[in-house]
Structure formats: C-alpha cells, structure tokens
Amino acid sequence: AKQKSDALLLSKGEVDDRLRGTDWFSEKDGVHNISDSIDVNIWDYGGQKVFYTMHHLFLTQFGVYLVVFDGREVEKNRVNAVGYIEFWLSTISLHAPNAPILLVGTYFDKPNSAPFATNVSEILQNDLSISNNYPQIIYGEYCFFPISNLSGNGTHTLKNVIADAILAQDYVHQNVPFSWMRCLEIMNSGNGEVSG
C-alpha cells in the first residue's frame, strides 16, 4: 500500500483559517506596544515532492518557520512521520541555519491531551535528537506546540510565541530605504510599470 506522507500537513486553507483575522501584535496583552505595523507573510511551501527543488529559493534567514504535522501520525506511522519532519527540519537548517523554527502538532483535540503530547514530544526528541541537531527550535511546554483542529486550543499560545519570535529578529527592526519599498510596491502591483 502506498503511504501518503504529505497528509501530515494542514491544507493552506486550514492554516489561513486558523491565523486569519488576528492582529497578532496588538493582542499581546500589553506585552508589546508597537506603534508601527509589521506585515507578516505566511507562505505554504507545499509538502509535495514536486516543490522540493524550489525550496532553496525561498528559505532564508529572514523568516520564522513552522513545521506543522499531524500528531496522530507520529504515533501511528512513526518512521514516516518522523522522517517527514526531519526532512523539513534539515531543509530549513541547511538554507536558514539560524532562523527560528517552531514545531506545531495538530489533532490534539481531546480534553486531556497531555499524555498524548508528552509521548509525541518524547518520540520527536529521541528520534530526532532535537536539542542537539536543531538548536534553533523554539520550545514551549513540549518540543512542539500542540493545537486542536476542532476547538483552537493552543492557537493563542502559538500566536504569541510566533509574534515573540518575529519581534526578536534584528532584521524586523532595521530601516529599509524608501527606494526599496517603492520597488517592492511596483513588484506587488503586477503591472511592472514605473511612474514618477
């Protein structure tokens, strides 16, 4: 039987639905008071093998990376699930060795998911030697952030950790020449015409 490892990822729509409509930097309970806005782009790199050759074009030091996986698969299909997570961690580490990474486990939907989360965390730590091999991983209570696809439990914590990771990056606070912003504006407009 053919194993479908790309099922470990949420669809782009599911990720967008979970993250849409949140002003991350104002919902920080007063921890951060930012007067200027920060634009955050969320890119889904596509788990399909056909996209693997394109990753090096987009993986840079100027990002905070989330590796999202189905927590159930880590227990049910350990070798493939851990291998898939390891592929993403290795790829990110190769192209962006110092960029922060958060592991996000989905399907932690039951009211008492702590034993399940503890088991998944132990599997990941043991099989991947996370603390030795991937020091840029940001930890929460576990070596990953468990979230519920049904209730949204864990997403508030995850959003806060992502916001903190973004704000901790030096490049976020660097000034960008106005001419660069104008160039970006032209590229994003799609028409390619330069005026004035």
Side-chain angles (χ1 to χ4, degrees):
K2 184 179 177 185
Q3 303 272 334
K4 186 174 180 184
S5 60
D6 61 334
L8 300 175
L9 295 176
L10 288 174
S11 73
K12 182 174 181 348
E14 288 175 301
V15 172
D16 290 346
D17 289 346
R18 291 282 176 209
L19 300 175
R20 183 179 295 119
T22 303
D23 185 355
W24 290 15
F25 299 100
S26 66
E27 280 190 14
K28 296 289 296 161
D29 302 322
V31 174
H32 298 289
N33 185 8
I34 296 178
S35 58
D36 298 326
S37 66
I38 297 175
D39 291 331
V40 176
N41 293 306
I42 299 171
W43 292 13
D44 180 359
Y45 283 92
Q48 299 81 7
K49 289 184 180 182
V50 70
F51 294 119
Y52 288 4
T53 58
M54 303 293 286
H55 292 158
H56 71 281
L57 300 173
F58 302 102
L59 293 169
T60 73
Q61 286 298 114
F62 303 105
V64 173
Y65 296 93
L66 278 65
V67 176
V68 180
F69 63 92
D70 182 337
R72 302 169 304 180
E73 289 293 316
V74 174
E75 287 190 328
K76 285 193 299 188
N77 193 2
R78 182 174 180 161
V79 171
N80 285 344
V82 170
Y84 196 70
I85 294 166
E86 184 174 32
F87 165 79
W88 281 102
L89 292 175
S90 298
T91 300
I92 295 166
S93 295
L94 175 67
H95 298 292
N98 298 314
I101 301 173
L102 288 84
L103 293 173
V104 180
T106 62
Y107 292 99
F108 288 83
D109 301 319
K110 295 188 176 150
N112 184 10
S113 292
F116 177 32
T118 298
N119 187 46
V120 169
S121 187
E122 288 173 0
I123 289 170
L124 295 176
Q125 288 184 51
N126 292 333
D127 290 11
L128 298 173
S129 300
I130 286 177
S131 57
N132 293 330
N133 294 333
Y134 307 102
Q136 70 273 42
I137 289 180
I138 297 174
Y139 281 69
E141 184 177 349
Y142 306 100
C143 69
F144 72 100
F145 293 87
I147 63 170
S148 168
N149 299 45
L150 297 175
S151 68
N153 285 343
T155 57
H156 182 73
T157 299
L158 178 61
K159 289 175 192 178
N160 286 338
V161 172
I162 293 169
D164 288 342
I166 291 169
L167 293 170
Q169 304 310 302
D170 291 335
Y171 57 81
V172 171
H173 305 286
Q174 291 176 350
N175 291 326
V176 178
F178 183 73
S179 59
W180 289 15
M181 296 304 294
R182 179 69 181 126
C183 180
L184 179 62
E185 185 180 293
I186 291 167
M187 289 189 308
N188 286 336
S189 73
N191 66 17
E193 294 179 22
V194 178
S195 61

